[in-house]
Amino acid sequence: MQEKTVYNFNAGPATLPKAVMLKAQEEFVNYRGCGYGIVEESHRAAPFEEIIQAAEANIRKLMGISADYDVLFLQGGASLQFAMVPMNLMVPGKKIAFCDTGEWAHKAMKEAKILGAGINLVYDGAKEKYSCIGDVSSWQFDQNDAYAHICSNNTIYGTAYNQYPDTGALPLIADMSSDIMSKVVDVNRFALIFAGAQKNMGPSGVTLVIMRKGLAERCPETVPTMLRFSTHIKAQSLYNTPSTFSIYMVRLVTDWMLEQGGVPAIQKLNETKAAKLYAAIDESGFFRGTCAKADRSKMNVCFRIGEGNEELEKKFVSESKAAGMIGLKGHRAVGGLRASIYNAMPMAGIDALVAFMKAFAAKNG
Amino acid sequence: MQEKTVYNFNAGPATLPKAVMLKAQEEFVNYRGCGYGIVEESHRAAPFEEIIQAAEANIRKLMGISADYDVLFLQGGASLQFAMVPMNLMVPGKKIAFCDTGEWAHKAMKEAKILGAGINLVYDGAKEKYSCIGDVSSWQFDQNDAYAHICSNNTIYGTAYNQYPDTGALPLIADMSSDIMSKVVDVNRFALIFAGAQKNMGPSGVTLVIMRKGLAERCPETVPTMLRFSTHIKAQSLYNTPSTFSIYMVRLVTDWMLEQGGVPAIQKLNETKAAKLYAAIDESGFFRGTCAKADRSKMNVCFRIGEGNEELEKKFVSESKAAGMIGLKGHRAVGGLRASIYNAMPMAGIDALVAFMKAFAAKNG
C-alpha cells in the first residue's frame, strides 16, 4: 500500500507515535529475535515479565509515583472502574461525593447508585450543559463521605480541571482516561487514579490504576476475586492473563514519552498545540469554542461553526477527511466538531488542521 | 533479526497462524490503505465495525451458531466470567451445579460461593487429583438448580470431556477457553459458552461469550452495568471501548480457520496431532501420560518422565528450548511436562517434538 499522511483526531482509540508503530511492526512476528511475536508469548514468560515491569517503571518515572502507591494494569476500561471503585471503596452508611462535569463522571455516579451508595452531588454541571467547571475552590466536601470522584478531562464537552479541588482528608479518586500523562500532576493528591490507555498511553484493552497502598483493604469479602483491587495488587497484575499486546504497546509509548523529555516536555508541547488550535477558533469569526475559556481542555478541542450550522459542520467533516484529517466529528451527544489532540498528535497535524480551518472559513464564511 | 523456526507450546497466550501474523504485520501501520493502523482506529468507525461484525459472522459460521444466540466480545478473561455468570444467572434459593474437573472449574465454583450461591458438587475430580473425568452419563443433576457449570478442557491436568453431560432442562454453561473451535460442538446443548481468546482464537484481551437469547433477562437490577450481559447484548459489544486489536486478530484467525476448511477440517488435524504425540509417549517406555486415556485432552498433552524424574524433566525443558521448542514445562501446580497444541500449532511442530522426544529418550533412557 502507498504511504499517505493522515492525521487521526479520533477521541480514542487514537493516534499513536509513529516511531512506536514502526517499532511494533518491525518486531511483530519476531520479538527481539526470539522467533515468534510478543502477542504469542505467555504472560508468565520472562520476555513479557520484562515488558510489564518496564511499563510500570516507565509510568512511575513519568508521573513521579512513590512507593506509597501500587500501579496496576487491568481490563474493562474506565467503565468497569466506575463499578470496581465503589465495590471496593464504598463504606456502609457513608455517601460518595461526585463532581458531575460530564458524561463520564455522570456514568460513574450512576454505577455507585446501582450499587446502593448514597450520593453527595458536590457539583452539578448538567445545569450548564457541562460547558464549564468553574471555581472548584468553592466546592464543599463532607469529610464523612467515603470518597470523592472527579473526571479530570471531559472528552465529550471539551472541558478539563485546570486545578483540582481540595478534598481535605477525603480520598480523591480521579478518572484521568483522557488526560493522563499529558501534564504534570501531583499523584500524592489522589487516593486512586484510573485511566483507559487508549488516548494518551497506548491502544485499548488495558486500564491503568494507580492506588494508594492500604486503600484496597476496605473491600468487603463479598466482592468477586477479579473485581477486588487487592487481587491484582497481590498478583502484580498477573492474576489472570492480561491484554498482553496492549501492555506491550503501553511500554513502547511510555519509552517514547521518556525519550521526548517526559511529561514536562510533553505538557509544554500540548499547551502550544492547544493554544494554536483555540487561537484559530477564536480569531476566525467563523468557528466558536463551546465551553468556558478558563475550563478548556487541552486534549479535546470542541467547537462549532457559528451557533451550530449542522450543514456546514457536515461539510467540514467530509472535506477535512478528504484532506487527510479524520475523526473531527463531535460526539453524538453534543454534535458539532471536535479535535482530539493527545500526546501523540504531532504539531504538523495541528498546523494542517489550522490551515484547513482557515481555508474552509474563507470559502464558507 | 534473522528468522529462525521456533515452536511455541505455551498454554496461552499461544502460537498464532503464521499467515495471520504476517498479514497483521504487513498492515500494522497502514490498515488497508487508510494511512494509519487499526490499533489507532476508533471503535465507532466503519473499519472497526466491519471487523467486529466479520469476527462475529466468522464465529457463527465456524460453530454453527443459530439466531437464538448472541455472540459477545468482552474483556477480563474467563476469570471475570467466573463472577459474571453467577452475578447474572444465579437465582435466590437455588443452587448451582458444578462439575469440578480441575483448577478452572474449581475457581469458578469459588466465585459462585463468594457471591453467596449454594453449590451442588456433581463431580469432585479432586479426589483423583483431576487425572480423569470418567463416565459423565452417571452424573446426577438436580433440575431445580439455577444452572450447571463445566470446564470443557482442563489445561493444567490435560483432561477433556469427550462427551458432555446431559443436564436435561438445566441450563448448561461451559468454559471452553482452551478448546473452543478445536472440534465440532453442538452449541444448542449449551445455554452459555465462554472462552478467553488466547488459546485457539487469537491473542489475549478478548473473551468470547455465546449466550442463548432471553437468559440475560435473569440478571438482578443490582448488578453494575458493565457486568450485565444485557448491556453488551444491547450495545453489540460496543458499550465501551473493547480491546480492538485483539478483536481484529480474532477476525484474522477466524478467517484463517475458514480457509483451512472450518472446524471439521481443523478437528481432523487436531486429532492426528494429538494421536501422534500420545503415541510417542505411550510407545516410549520412558515418558508417561498423566491422565486417564479416555479423558485425554487433544489440546494440552501432559506427561512426565518415568514416575516424575524432576531432574530429567528440567533437562528436557532446557534442551528442547535450545532445540527451538518452547513452553514445554508443566503448570507449576502439577509439575512435569506439557505440550499445548492448539489449532495454530502446525504438524511440523508435532513432528519436531516427537523427534526430539525420541532422541531424548534414547540418550537418557
Side-chain angles (χ1 to χ4, degrees):
Chain A
M1 300 277 181
Q2 211 190 323
E3 194 74 19
K4 63 176 176 179
T5 299
V6 172
Y7 295 110
N8 173 1
F9 292 95
N10 273 314
T15 198
L16 293 170
K18 194 77 180 177
V20 165
M21 290 297 290
L22 291 170
K23 187 173 178 64
Q25 180 180 44
E26 186 198 341
E27 61 191 20
F28 191 77
V29 300
N30 187 6
Y31 179 69
R32 303 189 181 180
C34 79
Y36 54 94
I38 196 65
V39 74
E40 303 173 286
E41 181 60 284
S42 167
H43 60 300
R44 307 273 178 213
F48 185 73
E49 275 178 11
E50 190 272 332
I51 286 168
I52 195 167
Q53 286 164 12
E56 177 180 336
N58 284 351
I59 292 166
R60 285 190 178 273
K61 199 168 173 183
L62 284 162
M63 296 184 69
I65 302 169
S66 79
D68 295 339
Y69 288 79
D70 288 303
V71 173
L72 305 174
F73 299 100
L74 306 184
Q75 293 188 66
S79 294
L80 187 57
Q81 291 308 306
F82 297 165
M84 263 182 86
V85 170
M87 285 172 98
N88 281 262
L89 303 182
M90 61 194 264
V91 178
K94 291 193 173 200
K95 289 184 176 179
I96 301 172
F98 276 90
C99 309
D100 184 7
T101 57
E103 180 152 329
W104 305 111
H106 195 83
K107 280 195 165 175
M109 184 163 72
K110 206 178 130 197
E111 294 308 311
K113 278 185 194 164
I114 289 173
L115 288 160
I119 307 294
N120 238 339
L121 188 54
V122 169
Y123 175 72
D124 182 5
K127 289 178 188 165
E128 306 285 345
K129 293 184 180 164
Y130 299 123
S131 63
C132 57
I133 290 180
D135 179 15
V136 302
S137 70
S138 69
W139 294 359
Q140 299 293 320
F141 292 91
D142 185 338
Q143 298 296 313
N144 288 317
D145 287 352
Y147 62 85
H149 177 111
I150 65 168
C151 177
S152 60
N153 181 82
N154 302 286
T155 44
I156 294 177
Y157 300 94
T159 61
Y161 285 84
N162 289 308
Q163 54 177 355
Y164 298 115
D166 181 0
T167 57
L170 191 63
L172 180 58
I173 316 282
D175 174 0
M176 293 194 183
S177 293
S178 51
D179 66 353
I180 190 133
M181 291 189 266
S182 72
K183 62 180 179 184
V184 176
V185 163
D186 178 6
V187 170
N188 296 310
R189 292 195 55 182
F190 298 88
L192 190 154
I193 293 167
F194 63 85
Q198 66 268 19
K199 294 161 197 289
N200 275 312
M201 256 189 308
S204 63
V206 58
T207 314
L208 177 69
V209 173
I210 301 162
M211 187 173 191
R212 189 178 290 151
K213 281 186 175 158
L215 198 61
E217 289 159 24
R218 272 201 199 177
C219 185
E221 296 281 311
T222 49
V223 173
T225 309
M226 270 294 285
L227 298 168
R228 305 169 70 92
F229 290 118
S230 59
T231 299
H232 303 289
I233 292 169
K234 202 174 148 195
Q236 296 181 284
S237 304
L238 291 170
Y239 173 72
N240 73 333
T241 317
S243 187
T244 54
F245 190 75
S246 304
I247 294 172
Y248 158 75
M249 290 295 286
V250 167
R251 187 263 178 94
L252 293 188
V253 172
T254 50
D255 278 347
W256 173 86
M257 285 188 208
L258 287 166
E259 285 160 20
Q260 303 309 300
V263 175
I266 288 168
Q267 173 172 1
K268 205 174 155 191
L269 204 61
N270 285 337
E271 284 168 357
T272 310
K273 280 152 59 183
K276 261 193 192 179
L277 201 42
Y278 282 118
I281 291 166
D282 294 339
E283 292 162 8
S284 68
F286 179 80
F287 300 105
R288 182 180 56 83
T290 53
C291 39
K293 285 191 180 177
D295 301 323
R296 279 174 165 178
S297 165
K298 292 176 180 75
M299 298 283 102
N300 310 97
V301 176
C302 293
F303 56 107
R304 302 219 58 152
I305 294 176
E307 291 310 301
N309 186 325
E310 288 180 21
E311 206 175 313
L312 273 183
E313 285 166 352
K314 213 171 155 179
K315 195 176 171 195
F316 183 93
V317 171
S318 124
E319 292 188 2
S320 59
K321 191 177 171 182
M325 283 161 277
I326 66 139
L328 288 163
K329 197 176 164 190
H331 189 274
R332 61 193 183 283
V334 294
L337 302 164
R338 173 176 59 176
S340 295
I341 51 170
Y342 301 119
N343 290 350
M345 173 58 67
M347 191 64 79
I350 307 295
D351 293 336
L353 177 56
V354 167
F356 176 83
M357 286 167 72
K358 283 188 177 156
F360 189 90
K363 209 164 64 184
N364 298 281
Chain B
M1 300 278 181
Q2 210 190 325
E3 193 75 18
K4 61 176 178 178
T5 299
V6 172
Y7 295 111
N8 173 0
F9 292 96
N10 273 315
T15 198
L16 293 169
K18 193 78 182 178
V20 165
M21 290 296 291
L22 291 169
K23 188 173 178 63
Q25 181 181 43
E26 187 199 340
E27 61 192 20
F28 192 77
V29 301
N30 186 7
Y31 179 69
R32 303 189 182 181
C34 78
Y36 54 95
I38 195 64
V39 74
E40 302 173 287
E41 181 61 285
S42 168
H43 61 300
R44 307 273 177 214
F48 185 73
E49 275 179 11
E50 190 272 333
I51 286 169
I52 196 168
Q53 285 164 13
E56 178 179 337
N58 284 352
I59 291 167
R60 285 189 178 275
K61 199 168 175 183
L62 284 162
M63 295 185 69
I65 303 170
S66 79
D68 296 338
Y69 287 80
D70 288 303
V71 173
L72 305 174
F73 299 100
L74 307 183
Q75 293 188 67
S79 294
L80 187 57
Q81 292 308 306
F82 297 165
M84 264 183 84
V85 170
M87 284 172 98
N88 281 262
L89 303 182
M90 62 193 265
V91 179
K94 292 195 173 198
K95 289 183 176 179
I96 302 171
F98 276 91
C99 309
D100 183 9
T101 57
E103 180 151 329
W104 305 110
H106 195 83
K107 280 195 166 174
M109 184 164 73
K110 206 178 129 196
E111 294 308 311
K113 278 184 195 167
I114 288 174
L115 288 160
I119 306 296
N120 239 336
L121 187 55
V122 169
Y123 174 73
D124 183 4
K127 289 178 190 166
E128 307 284 344
K129 292 184 180 165
Y130 298 123
S131 63
C132 57
I133 291 179
D135 180 15
V136 302
S137 70
S138 69
W139 294 359
Q140 300 293 319
F141 291 92
D142 184 337
Q143 298 296 312
N144 289 317
D145 287 352
Y147 63 85
H149 177 110
I150 64 168
C151 177
S152 61
N153 181 83
N154 302 287
T155 43
I156 294 177
Y157 300 94
T159 62
Y161 285 84
N162 289 308
Q163 54 178 356
Y164 298 114
D166 181 359
T167 57
L170 191 64
L172 179 59
I173 316 282
D175 172 2
M176 293 194 183
S177 294
S178 51
D179 67 353
I180 191 134
M181 292 190 264
S182 72
K183 62 180 180 184
V184 176
V185 163
D186 178 7
V187 170
N188 297 310
R189 293 195 53 182
F190 299 88
L192 190 155
I193 293 168
F194 63 85
Q198 66 269 17
K199 294 160 197 290
N200 274 311
M201 258 189 306
S204 62
V206 58
T207 314
L208 176 70
V209 172
I210 302 161
M211 188 172 191
R212 190 179 288 151
K213 282 186 173 157
L215 198 60
E217 289 159 24
R218 271 201 199 178
C219 185
E221 296 281 310
T222 49
V223 173
T225 309
M226 271 294 285
L227 298 168
R228 306 170 69 92
F229 290 118
S230 59
T231 299
H232 303 288
I233 292 169
K234 201 174 150 196
Q236 296 181 283
S237 304
L238 292 169
Y239 172 73
N240 74 332
T241 318
S243 187
T244 54
F245 189 76
S246 303
I247 294 172
Y248 158 75
M249 290 295 287
V250 167
R251 187 265 176 92
L252 293 188
V253 172
T254 51
D255 277 348
W256 173 86
M257 284 188 209
L258 287 166
E259 285 160 20
Q260 304 307 302
V263 175
I266 287 169
Q267 173 172 1
K268 207 175 151 191
L269 204 61
N270 284 337
E271 284 168 357
T272 310
K273 280 154 57 183
K276 261 194 194 179
L277 201 42
Y278 283 118
I281 291 165
D282 294 338
E283 292 163 7
S284 69
F286 179 79
F287 301 105
R288 182 179 56 83
T290 54
C291 40
K293 284 190 181 178
D295 302 324
R296 279 175 165 177
S297 164
K298 291 177 182 71
M299 297 284 101
N300 310 96
V301 176
C302 294
F303 56 107
R304 303 219 58 155
I305 294 177
E307 291 310 302
N309 185 325
E310 287 180 22
E311 205 174 314
L312 272 183
E313 285 165 355
K314 211 169 156 182
K315 194 177 172 194
F316 183 94
V317 170
S318 124
E319 291 188 2
S320 59
K321 190 176 172 185
M325 284 162 277
I326 66 138
L328 287 163
K329 197 177 163 188
H331 189 275
R332 60 193 184 284
V334 294
L337 302 164
R338 173 175 62 177
S340 295
I341 51 171
Y342 302 118
N343 289 350
M345 174 57 66
M347 191 64 79
I350 307 294
D351 292 337
L353 177 55
V354 168
F356 176 82
M357 287 166 72
K358 282 189 178 156
F360 189 90
K363 210 163 63 182
N364 299 281

